[in-house]
Amino acid sequence: MLVRTHTCGQLRESDVGATVRLNGWVNSYRGHGTGLVFIDLRDRYGLTQLVFDGEDLPGDVMETADHLRNEDVVAVEGTVRVRTGGENPKLPTGKIEIEVSRLEVLNKTANPPFLPDDLAKLPNEELRLTHRYIDLRRPKMQKIMQARHRLAKVTRDYFHENGFLEVDTPILYKSTPEGAREFLVPSRNVPGGWYALPQSPQLFKQILMIAGCDRYIQLCRCFRDEDPRADRQAEFTQVDLEMSFVRREQVMEMMEGYIRRLWREMAGIDIPAMSRMTYRDAMERFGIDRPDTRYGLEIADISEIASRSEVAFFKDALARGAERPRFNSKRGVVKAIRVPGGAEKLTRKITDGYNEFARSFGAGGCAVVKVNAQGQFETGVAKFLEGVRGDLTAALGLTPGDTVLFVADEYAVCTKALGELRQKVARDMGVVPPPGAEGGPWNFLFVVDFPMFERNKETGRWVAMHHPFTAPRDDQAQTFVEASVDDEVTIESIVSAGYDIVLNGQEIAGGSIRIHDPKVQSKVFQLLGLTPQQAREKFSFLLEALSFGAPPHGGIAFGLDRLVMNFVGTDNIRDVIAFPKTQTGADLMTRAPSAATDEQLREVHVRSTWTPPAT
RNA sequence: GGGGCGGUAGCUCAAUUGGUUAGAGUACCGGACUGUCGAUCCGGUGGUUGCGGGUUCGAGUCCCGUCCGCCUCGCCA
């Protein structure tokens, strides 16, 4: 084989006269029969034009060249020369071409199901995934893989420079079925025993701290057997890290440094100092724990004013859970969003849609009022608000042409519905800036002071909002330890030492200071409804480790895939994963998952209960 | 588990209210062509309309079921 001396993106005018060899894929054929043939040869690095000239080459070579087709793999030898037919300004190699003297066809392709062409309309994703090796040849996909590589490298560089140690943790791991559904792996050596794939290396990294590792980093694969979304895969990658002898300030500083470094090196952007917001503030103003602060449209609590209106369903909502404390999830509230200029842009059809949209989140609906040129309310519930029009106008800062959206319901439902609605309205109003990669703002935010616990909607039991190893905030620890497990109001008020990093309304990282006191850890388990026996059965290794000299520690994990998505400007997580899975967890290329043989199952002591459906 | 959208030539799409032999571009094959650069021109092959039922004189089109993909609610400590 004619082994390459250069890549297809390398040669320039300065190389003119050199004899070179190139290897690559035929990207396009432009032929004039056996007289003259042009080929653009492609590899990961670029395109170079090859010329086959019938006056210099033997007939059989010209014959072969004339039959080259897209995606054939070839090797050529030839001389670099200035293009005699004019340069191609679209290509970095556009001033030169290779006058081919020898041609070797390394692999003649079958007719490909599609071409790796970024200019053409993409075939449907099913086909791209089935023939992923062709899709990945596309320059765009090559760029994405390169970006992902660079991001991993910058990450390792930064944490290396800051004294972090990269340590691998097990993939075959103990099942601790509290959070996400786990993937299970049967043991052959221990009949009836099962491993689980880790949802995250959480406990291992804490134990590494107890082991004196001090600073740990890992780019690790995590597995959660839950239904995927556009930005979620069952198998994904985290930038996982942990630090000893820190309070949350130190972790947050280290993270801000990392983010700054990433954006500098990946996008050439210096990001401003990251702001902070409490969880309560985020929920009150934005209705979500990961607020998109690139636009306003903030949510206002108008419960007091609503109580003086004539709107029946406002009053009904407010009557619910009225005896409960403020911010309690079951207490009725009325909240509103002022949409400046909405009267014109948000048509009746659109606002009717909002009503449906609010319902889909469990709310009774969404009331809509428009402010006319005289400052009067129109449509829907307008006449029932007449008595409080002045107060509402003042409280919300209403001006003519505004639309106001109201939701009345229990706190949790109302907040959720308006939080989601706010984002939908922002898109409809066109106030969401373009993705940051194209010049829009990068709004980073630390969200802090999350509640430690919340009630599970179905079981009514306490569950950890972050995870059961999250410590209470320093000033809350004493209250927490002393609180009775039945003291609902106190338990609900305990704030954790957790922190999320939010970018343009997207959670890109989450972490916390961990519990390093076995007594506090036991208390959390107790509150979560684990008996001491159950806690020991599941987490004895952790409780034991915590009792043998555990340093205060904390950490965080970033979703690596989502970070990459931001830099390459895609909203499809499958684009940034070389071999992703479909919504049913299938790998369309390898056809996984597939059946196991009876022999395989016997060996791991498993019998399947599944039977094929009757046809 | 629920809701929505989609599946027609290798690919991207079209096909009127249910009505003739399901079309176009592209890819592929053959031919012409000595400076193209998304080459051009001429000709040709290519179809179980995802699959299975049903309604009808007649189904790509309507109905039922099912499979696959995407979006989404639930879920994701």
Side-chain angles (χ1 to χ4, degrees):
Chain A
M1 150 187 192
L2 301 167
V3 174
R4 65 184 173 187
T5 56
H6 296 77
T7 69
C8 296
Q10 201 175 355
L11 296 165
R12 297 290 185 275
E13 267 182 304
S14 56
D15 299 298
V16 165
T19 299
V20 299
R21 292 171 174 178
L22 294 180
N23 302 152
W25 286 261
V26 171
N27 194 65
S28 75
Y29 160 91
R30 297 180 296 277
H32 299 262
T34 50
L36 182 68
V37 169
F38 297 95
I39 296 289
D40 285 342
L41 197 65
R42 184 194 70 237
D43 63 16
R44 185 182 130 193
Y45 309 93
L47 292 175
T48 299
Q49 174 165 288
L50 312 178
V51 191
F52 297 81
D53 192 332
E55 288 186 358
D56 307 322
L57 288 169
D60 62 321
V61 176
M62 285 311 293
E63 187 65 30
T64 307
D66 189 37
H67 283 89
L68 287 176
R69 289 297 176 265
N70 289 339
E71 302 314 304
D72 284 342
V73 180
V74 302
V76 295
E77 183 176 271
T79 310
V80 183
R81 71 181 189 196
V82 173
R83 289 198 185 196
T84 53
E87 68 181 75
N88 182 349
K90 291 184 211 159
L91 299 180
T93 61
K95 288 191 170 152
I96 57 98
E97 63 189 7
I98 310 296
E99 183 184 11
V100 175
S101 52
R102 296 171 70 191
L103 165 67
E104 203 178 330
V105 177
L106 301 174
N107 185 283
K108 190 78 187 162
T109 183
N111 188 18
F114 63 97
L115 293 175
D117 180 0
D118 285 330
L119 295 172
K121 187 165 183 192
L122 280 179
N124 87 54
E125 196 171 3
E126 208 171 336
L127 195 76
R128 292 171 51 206
L129 293 176
T130 306
H131 303 275
R132 192 60 159 174
Y133 37 85
I134 295 175
D135 194 40
L136 291 177
R137 285 178 198 164
R138 286 164 48 220
K140 255 184 206 160
M141 296 305 278
Q142 293 281 333
K143 281 204 187 73
I144 289 175
M145 287 192 286
Q146 212 170 315
R148 190 176 172 121
H149 163 80
R150 278 195 295 129
L151 187 141
K153 175 150 192 324
V154 172
T155 301
R156 289 198 164 98
D157 288 349
Y158 176 83
F159 288 109
H160 165 76
E161 287 162 23
N162 283 284
F164 284 73
L165 209 57
E166 187 163 350
V167 182
D168 295 335
T169 54
I171 295 293
L172 295 177
Y173 169 65
K174 181 183 173 69
S175 172
T176 55
E178 257 75 48
R181 199 175 295 122
E182 297 173 317
F183 289 95
L184 287 172
V185 181
S187 162
R188 174 179 57 83
N189 276 326
V190 180
W194 297 80
Y195 300 98
L197 306 183
Q199 299 169 33
S200 85
Q202 180 60 33
L203 294 177
F204 283 103
K205 68 176 176 178
Q206 288 189 235
I207 285 175
L208 282 170
M209 295 302 103
I210 300 171
C213 177
D214 196 66
R215 289 182 170 195
Y216 144 91
I217 168 81
Q218 184 182 193
L219 307 190
C220 64
R221 199 61 66 84
C222 302
F223 305 88
R224 294 178 190 175
D225 189 9
E226 301 290 350
D227 288 357
R229 288 287 184 276
D231 60 353
R232 234 164 61 185
Q233 283 263 301
E235 184 178 349
F236 64 103
T237 305
Q238 282 189 344
V239 177
D240 190 47
L241 58 106
E242 197 78 4
M243 306 166 73
S244 288
F245 306 115
V246 287
R247 306 182 68 201
R248 74 176 186 188
E249 294 307 316
Q250 281 80 51
V251 181
M252 289 164 79
E253 262 169 47
M254 185 65 72
M255 292 315 102
E256 191 161 347
Y258 170 53
I259 296 274
R260 181 156 289 115
R261 174 76 165 269
L262 261 189
W263 258 259
R264 174 104 281 282
E265 296 203 20
M266 295 293 292
I269 288 168
D270 291 308
I271 59 164
M274 287 167 59
S275 52
R276 292 186 189 189
M277 190 182 293
T278 64
Y279 170 83
R280 177 61 59 208
D281 206 17
M283 295 306 283
E284 278 294 295
R285 293 166 54 198
F286 302 96
I288 196 164
D289 60 1
R290 47 182 169 82
D292 189 338
T293 55
R294 289 175 298 172
Y295 50 87
L297 299 175
E298 291 192 21
I299 298 166
D301 189 325
I302 55 147
S303 298
E304 193 279 323
I305 297 173
S307 70
R308 290 184 277 112
S309 77
E310 304 301 323
V311 183
F313 60 89
F314 282 2
K315 296 188 163 183
D316 290 347
L318 290 168
R320 265 183 275 167
E323 73 289 354
R324 291 173 174 255
R326 206 181 162 208
F327 305 133
N328 182 281
S329 60
K330 297 279 188 198
R331 184 185 163 115
V333 290
V334 181
K335 291 175 176 248
I337 296 178
R338 171 195 169 224
V339 186
E344 191 185 342
K345 279 199 178 174
L346 303 178
T347 62
R348 174 66 192 268
K349 193 177 173 188
I350 293 176
T351 54
D352 282 353
Y354 291 167
N355 192 51
E356 273 313 298
F357 188 74
R359 284 167 169 273
S360 75
F361 295 97
C366 168
V368 179
V369 159
K370 296 187 175 190
V371 183
N372 71 15
Q374 286 72 46
Q376 291 158 337
F377 291 175
E378 289 180 354
T379 73
V381 294
K383 63 179 171 183
F384 304 106
L385 286 168
E386 203 44 45
V388 294
R389 179 155 67 93
D391 289 347
L392 267 182
T393 300
L396 297 173
L398 299 180
T399 57
D402 289 353
T403 289
V404 187
L405 308 172
F406 300 92
V407 173
D409 216 302
E410 293 170 359
Y411 182 88
V413 173
C414 178
T415 300
K416 166 89 174 165
L418 274 178
E420 296 294 334
L421 196 54
R422 172 178 175 269
Q423 300 178 80
K424 189 177 178 65
V425 171
R427 287 192 296 272
D428 291 344
M429 292 295 293
V431 296
V432 185
E438 282 153 39
W442 298 98
N443 278 17
F444 290 94
L445 203 61
F446 277 112
V447 178
V448 295
D449 294 350
F450 289 84
M452 284 276 283
F453 305 101
E454 59 186 346
R455 292 285 191 183
N456 179 293
K457 268 173 257 156
E458 279 142 37
T459 64
R461 296 198 342 205
W462 288 116
V463 291
M465 191 151 183
H466 185 45
H467 58 53
F469 318 106
T470 299
R473 203 176 64 188
D474 284 359
D475 59 325
Q476 308 268 301
Q478 193 65 25
T479 313
F480 172 64
V481 174
E482 287 168 5
S484 154
V485 292
D486 303 321
D487 183 352
E488 166 130 11
V489 174
T490 303
I491 298 297
E492 195 172 35
S493 75
I494 301 290
V495 168
S496 81
Y499 30 77
D500 278 1
I501 300 177
V502 173
L503 165 59
N504 295 347
Q506 177 192 30
E507 182 192 326
I508 59 169
S512 62
I513 298 300
R514 326 297 184 187
I515 297 167
H516 70 282
D517 179 343
K519 287 197 294 293
V520 177
Q521 188 65 70
S522 295
K523 174 99 184 190
V524 170
F525 287 151
Q526 183 195 355
L527 201 64
L528 298 180
L530 290 179
T531 64
Q533 290 84 343
Q534 287 171 322
R536 233 176 294 126
E537 152 68 15
K538 285 178 179 163
F539 300 112
S540 62
F541 64 102
L542 174 70
L543 291 169
E544 196 172 275
L546 286 174
S547 72
F548 286 119
H553 61 285
I556 196 166
F558 289 76
L560 183 143
D561 312 279
R562 288 186 186 173
L563 286 175
V564 177
M565 285 166 70
N566 279 290
F567 291 116
V568 303
T570 178
D571 51 12
N572 178 353
I573 195 172
R574 294 177 299 278
D575 282 347
V576 301
I577 297 174
F579 301 103
K581 294 181 176 60
T582 68
Q583 203 144 169
T584 53
D587 177 341
L588 296 179
M589 187 179 73
T590 66
R591 294 283 155 192
S594 55
T597 65
D598 290 342
E599 174 57 28
Q600 284 176 303
L601 291 178
R602 252 196 310 279
E603 204 163 45
V604 293
H605 321 286
V606 170
R607 186 181 301 127
S608 176
T609 60
W610 182 83
T611 48
T615 50

